[in-house]
Amino acid sequence: MFRYRVMAKLTVLSEGYTGLSFEVRSEKSSIGRLGDNAISIPEASVSSRHCEVWLKGDDIAVVDQGSTNGSFINDLKLIAEKEATLRPGQTLRLGQIQLRFELETKHNDSGRPTVQPGMIHGGGNSPTTAFAKKTNKANKIIFGVGTTLLVIIIGALVYAFGNLSSGPTP
């Protein structure tokens, strides 16, 4: 007979750290930028001691430790020092780093991990659409339009001042 072990883990979704995952256990673990945290994410938007997490049943309890850029569960900001619940399939954002909470089962005999389909609740969406990687396309468009307008304004000012300095023609 097969025996299963359920493992709670946080998998990083953010570019540069994609696929990195951390097991969450029942004892409190700190997450932060510094290497002495139980979970270290060396990224500038993550505070040195960002938050604490621990397994609480099938959920993860999260407490923001007064971080600079905040902790968010599905875009809802957590109140510093107050416990919040992260459920399977939800995202935890620490600064600019996004992590998805997953439950994974392992066979004791083979050791090969398999994610049980009913264990990840993404609100009816598949993980690829529910947690699509964000792009900064809008920022690039705004920057391009702003730069173009700036060049036009500078050109108009140079033209206007050039006509003023030559004086009126008789």
Side-chain angles (χ1 to χ4, degrees):
M1 176 162 260
F2 293 108
R3 298 187 88 113
Y4 296 95
R5 183 174 76 90
V6 177
M7 180 176 71
K9 68 178 188 171
L10 291 170
T11 301
V12 182
L13 304 173
S14 301
E15 194 171 325
Y17 301 92
T18 307
L20 185 64
S21 67
F22 307 97
E23 184 175 357
V24 179
R25 299 174 187 237
S26 58
E27 65 273 0
K28 283 186 183 178
S29 299
S30 61
I31 300 178
R33 186 177 64 244
L34 299 179
D36 63 345
N37 287 287
I39 298 174
S40 176
I41 303 173
E43 203 278 330
S45 67
V46 176
S47 293
S48 55
R49 298 251 184 269
H50 203 100
C51 68
E52 288 182 337
V53 295
W54 66 94
L55 196 58
K56 197 170 185 180
D58 285 342
D59 299 327
I60 294 177
V62 181
V63 176
D64 183 88
Q65 296 296 301
S67 62
T68 303
N69 294 313
S71 299
F72 301 80
I73 293 179
N74 287 350
D75 295 323
L76 296 174
K77 188 171 184 176
L78 304 185
I79 299 170
E81 305 298 327
K82 299 286 182 182
E83 183 179 315
T85 301
L86 179 66
R87 292 189 168 76
Q90 291 184 320
T91 57
L92 173 64
R93 182 166 54 88
L94 309 175
Q96 297 299 312
I97 299 295
Q98 288 193 352
L99 304 108
R100 180 177 51 225
F101 172 32
E102 299 172 335
L103 290 178
E104 184 178 88
T105 59
K106 287 190 174 189
H107 286 130
N108 282 351
D109 63 330
S110 70
R112 292 186 305 177
T114 56
V115 175
Q116 298 295 320
M119 295 182 127
I120 297 178
H121 309 288
N125 296 323
S126 69
T128 54
T129 57
F131 303 105
K133 185 170 41 172
K134 293 182 180 179
T135 65
N136 60 357
K137 185 177 180 180
N139 291 341
K140 289 179 181 177
I141 291 170
I142 291 169
F143 180 76
V145 170
T147 303
T148 303
L149 288 174
L150 183 63
V151 168
I152 291 170
I153 291 169
I154 291 173
L157 289 172
V158 168
Y159 177 77
F161 283 116
N163 284 342
L164 285 177
S165 64
S166 63
T169 55

